[in-house]
Amino acid sequence: MIEHPTIHRRNGVATAVGVLSAIYAVTFFCGALLHTGVQIPLRLAVLAEPTIIPATIVEGLCGLALAGAAFAVFTHKSSAWTAAFAANAFALGGVLLGITALAVGAGPTTELNTIYHRVMVVALVAILAVLLSPAGRNAFRRAA
């Protein structure tokens, strides 16, 4: 019997999930960095957030999970769909935790933080919807 290597079928959906997971990871790492008190200078503005250590921890963990998911997608791991779904769901939970903490007054809030949380809720729900769709599931199936 001749063994054939497993061929991974990836399409634009899987690629988009990997790219978006990587981009989201970078934004969470930036958020974690900002919440340590570091300021990020841009051409027209300086990004700054109040120091909130719990936010640094949660955002760092979300960034790590999303980076791991992107790696799994780009290296065609058999667990790529599961990794992507779990990481994006975890990140959504982290964002919702942040929104809740700020709503009950557990920390100082800024306009940047409010906008970021709202944008990320929409972005993470969208990627989870794609992953749960038939196209999203099929994008990660192995081809014989």
Side-chain angles (χ1 to χ4, degrees):
M1 183 173 198
I2 298 174
E3 295 269 337
H4 294 285
T6 302
I7 298 170
H8 299 275
R9 181 178 70 211
R10 292 288 191 260
N11 62 21
V13 173
T15 301
V17 168
V19 169
L20 289 173
S21 294
I23 291 169
Y24 297 171
V26 170
T27 69
F28 276 101
F29 288 139
C30 286
L33 189 62
L34 287 170
H35 282 300
T36 64
V38 172
Q39 296 181 354
I40 300 176
L42 304 175
R43 282 190 159 208
L44 301 175
V46 174
L47 295 180
E49 285 292 317
T51 301
I52 306 172
I53 298 306
T56 299
I57 294 167
V58 171
E59 289 170 344
L61 291 173
C62 290
L64 286 173
L66 290 163
F71 177 79
V73 171
F74 292 135
T75 57
H76 305 283
K77 299 287 185 198
S78 61
S79 60
W81 185 91
T82 303
F85 184 82
N88 281 279
F90 179 77
L92 178 60
V95 171
L96 294 174
L97 177 64
I99 290 171
T100 302
L102 294 174
V104 299
T109 189
T110 64
E111 188 176 352
L112 174 63
N113 208 353
T114 300
I115 292 168
Y116 178 75
H117 281 120
R118 290 177 181 170
V119 168
M120 288 312 296
V121 165
V122 173
L124 292 164
V125 167
I127 201 167
L128 289 169
V130 167
L131 284 165
L132 289 172
S133 73
R137 288 186 175 277
N138 288 333
F140 290 91
R141 292 203 203 286
R142 289 176 174 238

